[in-house]
Structure formats: C-alpha cells, structure tokens
Amino acid sequence: MTDLGHLDLSTNKFNESIPSILGDLLKLYHLNLSNNKLSQPIPLHLGNLVQLTDLDFSHNSLEGRIPSEMSNMQSLVMLNLSHNNLSGSIPSTFEEMRGLSNVDISYNHLEGPLPNISAFREAPLEALKGNKGLCGIVGGLSPCNVSGSKKDHKLMFSILAVIVLLSAFFTTVFLVKRKKHHQDKAQKNMHEEISFSVLNFDGKSMYEEIIRATEDFDPTYCIGNGGHGSVYIASLPSANVVAVKKLHLLQNDEKNPQNGFLNEVRALTEIRHRNIVKLYGFCAHKRHSFLVYEYLERGSLAAMLSKDEEAKELGWSKRANIVKGLAHALSYMHHDCLPPIVHRDISSNNILLDSEYEACVSDFGTSKFLNPDSTNWTDVAGTYGYMAPELAYTMEVNEKCDVYSFGVVTLEIIMGSHPGDFFSSLSTGASSSSASASPAPKMPISDVLDQRISPPTKQEAGEMVSLVKIAFASLNPSPQSRPTMKKVCQLLSSTQTLHLSKPLHMTTCGELLALDGFTT
C-alpha cells in the first residue's frame, strides 16, 4: 500500500507495538492510531514519514523516549502524543520542526526543557500538563533553572571561567562568520518550513513553483479576497492550474488567521467528497502561509448569480443539481465524518462551480469538529444573512446551523438573489397560526422564481416547488424542527414531487407552507 496517504485505525483494540513497517508508507500525510491499547516504544523507522502532516498516537500505553528520528518529519503540523507512558526529555532536534503548529504531550512522564519553537512556546497549559517535570518559558511551567550543592557551584564556576577565556579567543572568528551563517540559515529555513503536498512533487518544489507562477503574489493574479486571505490563480508545470489562498499577515498578537489555516488544513486532509473542494497542499512558511486547491473554472455561485448573462446559463436543472451537490456535501460532513464537521459559513460565496456547474463547498477556516459526548460551545462565526437566528443568543453550535444556511442558499439559487427579509417573513408565517399575517406567503410561487430565465417546464416546476418546500423547512426558527441533511438528501434523491391542486402561478407560498410531506 505504498501509495496510501490517509490511515486512520483509531478507536480499536490493537495492542502490543506500533508496526515499524508503517515507516515504509512514504506517502502518508495523516496517521491516526489513537484510542487503542498500543504499548512499547515508538518505532524509530517512523522517522521516514517525511510527508506526514498529522500524527495522533494519543490514549495508548506507549512507553520509552520520544525518538529523535521523529524530527525528520519536517512537514508535521499537528502532533498528539497525550495520555501515554512516554518518559525522558523531548529531543532537542524538535527545534528544527519549524512547520509544527499544534502539539499535545499531556499526561505522560516527560521532563526537561521544551523545544524552543512556537508550537511549544504557544501551547496551552492543557496540552502540557500531567507530566513529571517539564520546564520552559510557558505560563504555568517552572523555568529551567540549574541548582545543586556548593561543591557543584564551585565546579560550575571553574568551568564558567574556562569558558569565558575560551570564548574570548573565538569571539572574533564568530563575529566574522555570523552574518554568513544567518544568511545560510534563513535560506535553509525557507525550504525546511515547506509543508506537504498531496500531488506527486515535494513541498519545496511546490513552494518555488507557486512563487514563480504568481510573481511573488502579484495583485494581477488575484481572483478573490476574503476575511482571512486572498485567492490567486497559478499555472504550475507539475499540476496545471491551481487556486492558492494566501493568508493575510498576522497583526500583533492576532491568531485567528492561523487558527483558520489549521482548521482548513485539518478538515480538508481528513475528508474526501466530490462536492468538497480538493486540497492539494499547503505551506506554513513564516513569509507566506497558503493553501493550494483545485481550480474551479466558473468561480463562486454568488458571482454567477450577480451577473445577468452568467445567471441565464444556470437553467433550472443546473440549479437543482447545485442544491443537490451542496446537500450531499453537508450530509457527508454531518453524518459520515467522525467526529462530525460543521462548516459554520455556508454561503453562495463559499460554493464554487466547475466547468460542468458541479458545486463544491470551500472555505473551511471556521469549520468545527463536534465532540459527540458534550455540548459544543464556540465563538460566533459565519456570514451575515446566512447565520441561523439562534446564534444571536446562544454560543452552542451544531449541524442545524448549517441546515439553516443551506435553506438560505437554496432560496437564493431559486430566486436568483439573496432572499433578504423574504425568508424571515416566510418563517414567521410558517410558525404562526395564520400564514396570511405577512405579505410574503400571499405571493405566488412563480414570482419567487428567478425572472431572468425562462419559466420552468412542468417537470422542472414540480422540482422547484419541492426545493422551495425543503428550503422553508430548513429555515424553521426552531433548530429541532429543521430536517437533518441526511433527510434532505433522501427527499432530493427520491422521484417524488409536491402535488399542487392549482397551477404554479396561482399557488401561493402560504399554501405551500401548509402542505405536509411529499406526495406523488
């Protein structure tokens, strides 16, 4: 299985040792053996996994020292060795792992100084606690002071005196070579911090090709801007055309862009779906942090709907297919991923279309992995006009937040523009005893459809009415009353359509809201 890139054997009952033969899977970029009963030391042979970006050995009974060979994993971004029986000090060679951003070594028997890199310096105390005697410049840890007896101090003083004399001799040579050393080191670090690539070329090659292809991110190659970064188009000899999202530079102590970067890397390296944008690689360099995706020719759904000529190319069958693609992507994230993933920012700007108008969900910078054993609290995230109303008074996030956003986007696809206050009046009408209390339910369904394209055929009209009904259900003010995305996919994949007793132009939205279920 030498081409294997993603291996997840977590939460089983594997025991004894980690097979050293895993070190032969040189294309691995994700390895998860957590929540097993593995013991014995970590095999040295795993140091061969130089493309690995995500390593999770937590909640086992691994023992012995952390092998220094692991520092060969220069692409590693996330490392979790927590809840084991590892002992000794962390290898000093870990300071060479400049791409490492997220570590958890809690609840072991580790001691000694932490490596002097940001992944350890900025690690939360929860990721370090429960060890024998770690020290370093981190809140909650003791500084690494040297102590001993008076005899030890005398010996130390003598040694220091000799060192001072010797250092005076070497100072001149050191100062002469210092400038050249820093220049060489800076050039070396530029390539050491290049991270993995899913494509068949290394990170250094990809980094250099992108810099050349975009002329060091010249604005002429920029095809879009967002809150955390700008998107550029790059024609690479080894990968044809790709889209590159370059993160904005951090300002002062700002950490949100870096958190979004890690979120997106983690999400897109753990999921594969035809309706989710493909991540080809990423770079965690100090100068440039960026993600490399497949390039989708037709751009965002929002951009297409905003231009009359391009919107006319989106016929009713294409629009229905876009809704289905979005629904399948969300159903996969909510029901087929473990743990489930909530996107939290579903909007027409984050839905991209390929040459065949197939929809792909993008921008996972605010996505959240749900803990199924507890309530999930988080900061508010998303795009105004697409966020579920309950987020105004609660910080709990779950799949139903995405369902609401799906409802907004579905109406936007059908209407041709953002529904604005229209869907809120529909929700009010649906939840009240009298649908006629607001003007929107009195509107004929035919007036809801995008007027820029020809009216739908009878078959297309039935499908559009079904989509409107699903959108209304998804916009229910009560999260518990919204359907799951799995239920939505079942409804979309069935051959059933709503049966209307009157023609489309005579059927009002209020009458549609009053219909229960789907009938042939």
Side-chain angles (χ1 to χ4, degrees), residues 96-317:
E96 301 171 9
M97 302 174 71
R98 302 293 180 178
L100 195 62
S101 301
N102 192 313
V103 296
D104 191 343
I105 54 173
S106 59
Y107 297 101
N108 281 284
H109 306 291
L110 299 169
E111 55 186 329
L114 294 175
N116 187 24
I117 56 176
S118 59
F120 288 93
R121 290 195 306 267
E122 299 173 4
L125 185 59
E126 290 73 15
L128 306 173
K129 67 181 181 181
N131 281 288
K132 183 177 180 180
L134 290 174
C135 62
I137 312 174
V138 176
L141 292 185
S142 302
C144 299
N145 294 327
V146 179
S147 59
S149 62
K150 291 183 178 180
K151 182 178 180 180
D152 292 334
H153 286 301
K154 289 181 180 179
L155 178 61
M156 184 178 297
F157 181 80
S158 300
I159 293 173
L160 288 174
V162 174
I163 291 174
V164 169
L165 292 174
L166 290 174
S167 65
F169 177 79
F170 289 109
T171 296
T172 304
V173 177
F174 171 78
L175 292 175
V176 170
K177 293 184 176 181
R178 183 177 183 180
K179 183 176 182 180
K180 184 177 184 301
H181 169 75
H182 282 299
Q183 290 174 340
D184 293 343
K185 185 176 180 181
Q187 184 67 24
K188 180 181 177 183
N189 284 344
M190 176 175 289
H191 299 312
E192 283 183 346
E193 294 177 18
I194 304 303
S195 297
F196 91 111
S197 169
V198 179
L199 300 176
N200 293 322
F201 53 88
D202 61 27
K204 174 183 175 182
S205 173
M206 180 171 64
Y207 179 87
E208 293 173 345
E209 287 185 15
I210 287 172
I211 295 300
R212 282 196 298 268
T214 61
E215 298 182 37
D216 201 10
F217 295 104
D218 188 275
T220 57
Y221 294 90
C222 184
I223 57 175
N225 291 285
H228 290 163
S230 300
V231 181
Y232 297 78
I233 185 172
S235 298
L236 306 184
S238 51
N240 298 322
V241 181
V242 297
V244 182
K245 184 166 84 171
K246 177 178 173 289
L247 266 68
H248 296 318
L249 293 176
L250 297 179
Q251 301 294 328
N252 300 327
D253 295 329
E254 184 182 8
K255 295 184 179 180
N256 287 337
Q258 187 69 9
N259 291 339
F261 177 84
L262 295 175
N263 268 352
E264 192 140 6
V265 169
R266 182 184 177 194
L268 291 178
T269 53
E270 293 193 8
I271 57 181
R272 293 288 186 275
H273 192 276
R274 64 176 297 187
N275 296 114
I276 295 176
V277 67
K278 295 180 181 64
L279 177 69
Y280 287 154
F282 67 91
C283 172
H285 194 274
K286 288 182 179 178
R287 185 181 175 207
H288 297 304
S289 289
F290 55 77
L291 302 107
V292 184
Y293 308 95
E294 64 174 327
Y295 174 69
L296 298 172
E297 296 88 336
R298 300 195 181 275
S300 72
L301 173 64
M304 283 209 73
L305 291 176
S306 66
K307 301 171 184 175
D308 290 347
E309 290 304 314
E310 294 189 19
K312 291 177 182 178
E313 298 177 17
L314 289 176
W316 296 116
S317 59

Side-chain angles (χ1 to χ4, degrees), residues 29-94:
Y29 58 86
H30 176 94
L31 178 58
N32 189 349
L33 302 178
S34 62
N35 292 293
N36 280 287
K37 299 181 179 181
L38 296 166
S39 58
Q40 302 185 29
I42 299 173
L44 308 183
H45 196 48
L46 295 187
N48 292 343
L49 303 178
V50 295
Q51 295 198 52
L52 203 64
T53 63
D54 193 351
L55 177 62
D56 191 346
F57 288 167
S58 63
H59 293 86
N60 281 288
S61 299
L62 299 174
E63 55 193 36
R65 291 178 170 269
I66 300 175
S68 59
E69 286 78 2
M70 289 182 67
S71 62
N72 294 333
M73 301 175 180
Q74 289 294 309
S75 296
L76 202 63
V77 173
M78 287 171 278
L79 173 65
N80 191 344
L81 301 175
S82 63
H83 296 271
N84 280 287
N85 296 317
L86 298 170
S87 58
S89 59
I90 303 170
S92 59
T93 52
F94 270 42

